[in-house]
């Protein structure tokens, strides 16, 4: 005999009528994904785009260029915002929330820039705002940070959070493509932002890290308060050093609690050893490692860019709205009091086309020192605040790459002083 009739029915799910902003890589991907998931009973009523004259793959009657057609339509109870203009996206999302509509977005730049205000709007208007697709595309990391690690003591989150730079690094180092060709391929495949500087200069990864900090640790911070850089400075000679040491170079975002109240967070190119889980995260894939007191380590890997992987995360948010799911921002509201600090030390590799470009005085300690005609490099310990407030390491011809385990713990270099540099014969 079936026991099914004894099981209580699920709460009645809401009918979702969607107004979609954007019909580019992700918007079109979502449209197609929704076509193949009729069981969800979520239909797109109107699609708002920017250019009326662009050729589309579906009939023109679906489209409008007037945002009011969505925002003022009372039948539309879900706004899905998938456009590439962060300022316009902010106005759309703000107004939709003020009107009490649920909103789904993947726009990390907009979310990171206005996090606190968007949080307030959600509470004020009791409207859900979900954005799983904004961090690591297909990897369900935000909901995991929100829900799973709530009662566990999360100590760190680190990983590859930008699919297009990971794609570029893979193509350069494993297939020998030039930077320009690798970027072009990433753009053609829909992995890059419309403005690729957002990816290659590290802004996109910093935006994502700031969102992860809020959900992982309850720490709300502007991306500009995070120490970060992108992949443009990495030189061929750096790749050769990496190869000699059997290491890879990846753009890695890290957030690590350094004590009960302080958090180190940065996004920088990093050497990755062959036995690190991140070494096998290639092309447009993203990978994240979480560490927590009781669960120990978890490793998430999945496609970090592209039409369907990102649309899958958006779809999952839409599905969650049927059951009135909302982020609760528990860690932030509990005032866990964990704040960002740059008071820690990093072990870094710095190379330069001219030795004089390396600011030796900024280091606390130098472990390696190589001076060749057109490529010099050092490995040493530097205080993170010196990197945050200095710019010499971002100058043309200089690249800074973190070593495999970059945070140096349990040593107070302020006590050791500059003696080590003198011993190394550098000063
Ligand atoms: N691509 C990815 O792999 C990926 C992954 C994760 C997150 N995301 C995020 O998803 C969002 C969309 O990215 P995408 O790659 O799909 O961008 P895209 O391919 O460049 O498409 C952008 C779309 O936005 C529309 N648009 C721009 N400004 C508009 C405005 N003011 N009003 C209405 N529509 C407007 C464009 O209209 P027209 O068609 O008329 O030009 C276009 O359809 C971005 O926030 C991005 O950061 C993308």
């Amino acid at each position: 005999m079936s026991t099914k009739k004894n099981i209580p029915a699920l709460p009645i799910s809401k009918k979702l009528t969607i107004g979609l902003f954007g019909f580019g890589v992700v918007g079109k991907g979502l449209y197609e994904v929704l076509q193949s998931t009729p069981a969800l009973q979520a239909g797109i009523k109107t699609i708002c785009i920017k250019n009326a004259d662009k050729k589309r793959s579906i009939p023109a009657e679906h489209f409008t260029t007037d945002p009011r057609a969505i925002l003022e339509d009372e039948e539309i109870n879900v706004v899905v915002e998938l456009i590439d203009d962060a300022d316009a996206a902010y106005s759309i999302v703000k107004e939709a929330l003020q009107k009490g509509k649920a909103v789904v977005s993947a726009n990390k730049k907009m979310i990171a820039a206005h996090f606190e205000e968007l949080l307030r709007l959600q509470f004020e208007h009791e409207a859900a705002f979900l954005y799983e697709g904004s961090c690591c595309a297909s990897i369900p990391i935000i909901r995991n940070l929100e829900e799973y690690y709530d009662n566990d003591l999360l100590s760190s989150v680190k990983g590859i959070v930008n699919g297009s730079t990971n794609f570029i690094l893979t193509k350069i180092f494993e297939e020998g493509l030039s930077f320009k060709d690798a970027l072009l391929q990433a753009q053609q495949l829909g992995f890059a932002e419309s403005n690729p500087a957002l990816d290659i200069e590290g802004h996109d990864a910093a935006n994502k890290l700031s969102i992860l900090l809020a959900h992982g640790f309850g720490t709300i911070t502007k991306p500009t308060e995070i120490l970060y850089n992108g992949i443009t400075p990495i030189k061929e000679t750096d790749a050769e050093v990496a190869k000699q040491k059997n290491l890879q170079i990846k753009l890695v975002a890290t957030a690590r609690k350094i004590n009960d109240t302080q958090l180190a967070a940065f996004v920088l190119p990093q050497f990755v050893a062959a036995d690190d889980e991140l070494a096998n995260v290639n092309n447009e894939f993203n990978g994240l490692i979480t560490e927590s007191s009781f669960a120990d380590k978890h490793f998430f890997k999945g496609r970090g860019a592209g039409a369907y992987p990102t649309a899958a995360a958006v779809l999952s948010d839409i599905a969650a709205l049927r059951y009135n799911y909302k982020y609760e921002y528990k860690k932030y509201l509990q005032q866990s009091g964990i704040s960002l600090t740059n008071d820690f030390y990093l072990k870094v590799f710095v190379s330069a086309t001219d030795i004089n470009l390396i600011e030796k005085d900024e280091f606390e300690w130098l472990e390696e020192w190589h001076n060749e005609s057109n490529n010099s490099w050092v490995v040493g310990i530097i205080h993170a605040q010196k990197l945050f407030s200095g710019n010499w390491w971002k100058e043309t011809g200089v690249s800074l790459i973190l070593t495999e385990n970059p945070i140096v713990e349990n040593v107070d270099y302020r006590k050791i002083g500059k003696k080590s540099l003198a011993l190394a014969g550098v000063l």
Side-chain angles (χ1 to χ4, degrees):
M1 198 183 78
S2 160
T3 54
K4 203 171 171 188
K5 62 180 175 198
N6 300 326
I7 298 172
L10 280 170
I12 293 172
S13 62
K14 269 206 289 200
K15 181 174 181 280
L16 304 179
T17 306
I18 298 171
L20 171 64
F21 283 87
F23 200 70
V25 173
V26 187
K28 186 162 171 283
L30 176 70
Y31 180 87
E32 289 167 7
V33 163
L34 277 170
Q35 297 292 103
S36 38
T37 47
L40 189 61
Q41 292 181 340
I44 297 178
K45 185 176 177 193
T46 310
I47 305 170
C48 180
I49 35 74
K50 192 172 181 185
N51 304 297
D53 303 334
K54 225 186 226 178
K55 210 162 170 261
R56 309 284 171 183
S57 55
I58 58 170
E61 72 225 26
H62 291 285
F63 296 99
T64 178
T65 51
D66 178 10
R68 312 270 111 231
I70 290 179
L71 295 169
E72 284 171 11
D73 183 337
E74 286 187 6
E75 199 198 346
I76 290 176
N77 53 4
V78 179
V79 166
V80 178
E81 178 283 302
L82 297 171
I83 72 173
D84 60 340
D85 174 339
D87 295 333
Y90 167 63
S91 308
I92 291 164
V93 169
K94 185 176 170 179
E95 189 172 339
L97 290 172
Q98 283 167 335
K99 287 189 152 56
K101 295 182 192 292
V103 180
V104 176
S105 169
N107 202 319
K108 48 266 173 167
K109 184 170 183 239
M110 181 271 295
I111 298 164
H114 302 282
F115 200 93
E116 233 165 341
E117 189 188 351
L118 293 170
L119 182 63
R120 187 177 50 74
L121 286 167
Q122 289 167 69
F123 287 116
E124 263 174 35
H125 300 279
E126 293 178 11
F129 179 41
L130 305 180
Y131 39 84
E132 189 63 74
S134 68
C135 289
C136 304
S138 71
I139 303 177
I141 188 63
I142 297 180
R143 240 185 281 171
N144 267 299
L145 292 175
E146 269 286 298
E147 308 299 336
Y148 182 82
Y149 298 100
D150 185 36
N151 296 316
D152 198 352
L153 298 170
L154 187 71
S155 54
S156 96
V157 180
K158 81 158 187 182
I160 295 166
V161 299
N162 179 277
S164 101
T165 46
N166 203 43
F167 179 88
I168 293 168
L169 291 174
T170 307
K171 293 291 166 202
I172 295 176
F173 298 136
E174 293 194 2
E175 295 176 27
L177 253 66
S178 70
F179 191 97
K180 213 172 128 201
D181 288 346
L183 172 61
L184 189 69
Q185 261 196 39
Q187 287 174 310
Q188 285 165 345
L189 290 166
F191 301 150
E193 291 293 318
S194 315
N195 171 9
L198 284 176
D199 292 315
I200 61 178
E201 291 174 8
H203 310 296
D204 180 78
N207 289 334
K208 287 168 177 164
L209 184 57
S210 85
I211 297 171
L212 296 175
L213 293 180
H215 290 279
F217 301 95
T219 307
I220 294 186
T221 182
K222 292 255 185 262
T224 46
E225 290 165 38
I226 294 173
L227 169 65
Y228 74 90
N229 204 10
I231 62 166
T232 34
I234 301 171
K235 302 187 289 296
E236 239 178 273
T237 44
D238 300 328
E240 278 160 25
V241 173
K243 252 190 195 141
Q244 281 161 17
K245 297 185 177 217
N246 197 24
L247 301 168
Q248 295 186 37
I249 303 172
K250 304 277 191 191
L251 184 65
V252 180
T254 301
R256 174 174 287 278
K257 259 163 89 176
I258 53 172
N259 56 46
D260 286 344
T261 56
Q262 289 183 306
L263 191 65
F266 45 87
V267 178
L268 289 165
Q270 183 170 331
F271 288 122
V272 171
D275 63 355
D276 189 317
E277 284 92 344
L278 297 183
N280 293 320
V281 178
N282 291 318
N283 292 308
E284 80 278 20
F285 277 81
N286 283 183
L288 275 166
I289 301 160
T290 57
E291 281 181 55
S292 50
S293 307
F294 308 120
D296 200 7
K297 268 190 184 187
H298 288 143
F299 174 47
F300 299 82
K301 181 181 171 184
R303 287 184 199 276
Y308 294 143
T310 314
V314 176
L315 181 78
S316 173
D317 282 348
I318 294 171
L321 289 175
R322 287 202 308 157
Y323 301 100
N324 298 315
Y325 178 76
K326 286 184 182 135
Y327 299 140
E328 290 180 325
Y329 302 94
K330 294 184 273 282
K331 293 170 203 172
Y332 171 68
L333 294 176
Q334 279 160 5
Q335 300 288 342
S336 57
I338 303 176
S339 61
L340 208 62
T341 180
N342 283 322
D343 190 12
F344 60 95
Y345 292 91
L346 287 167
K347 187 169 168 185
V348 301
F349 163 99
V350 180
S351 73
T353 46
D354 176 349
I355 185 83
N356 294 314
L357 292 169
I358 302 178
E359 293 274 353
K360 301 178 285 290
D361 290 353
E362 293 290 275
F363 286 84
E364 306 298 323
W365 184 277
L366 284 177
E367 257 183 38
E368 285 188 58
W369 177 261
H370 300 257
N371 190 3
E372 287 155 25
S373 59
N374 58 355
N375 184 43
S376 303
W377 53 271
V378 301
V379 175
I381 310 286
I382 196 159
H383 193 255
Q385 182 57 35
K386 287 195 173 171
L387 291 179
F388 187 75
S389 49
N391 263 331
W392 64 268
W393 58 281
K394 292 183 181 172
E395 296 294 329
T396 312
V398 183
S399 47
L400 180 143
I401 302 173
L402 297 173
T403 56
E404 301 99 287
N405 294 304
I407 299 181
V408 185
E409 283 172 288
N410 302 325
V411 185
D412 189 346
Y413 286 92
R414 277 166 294 209
K415 285 188 190 142
I416 295 172
K418 303 271 175 189
K419 258 190 270 169
S420 55
L421 290 179
L423 287 174
V426 175
L427 289 180

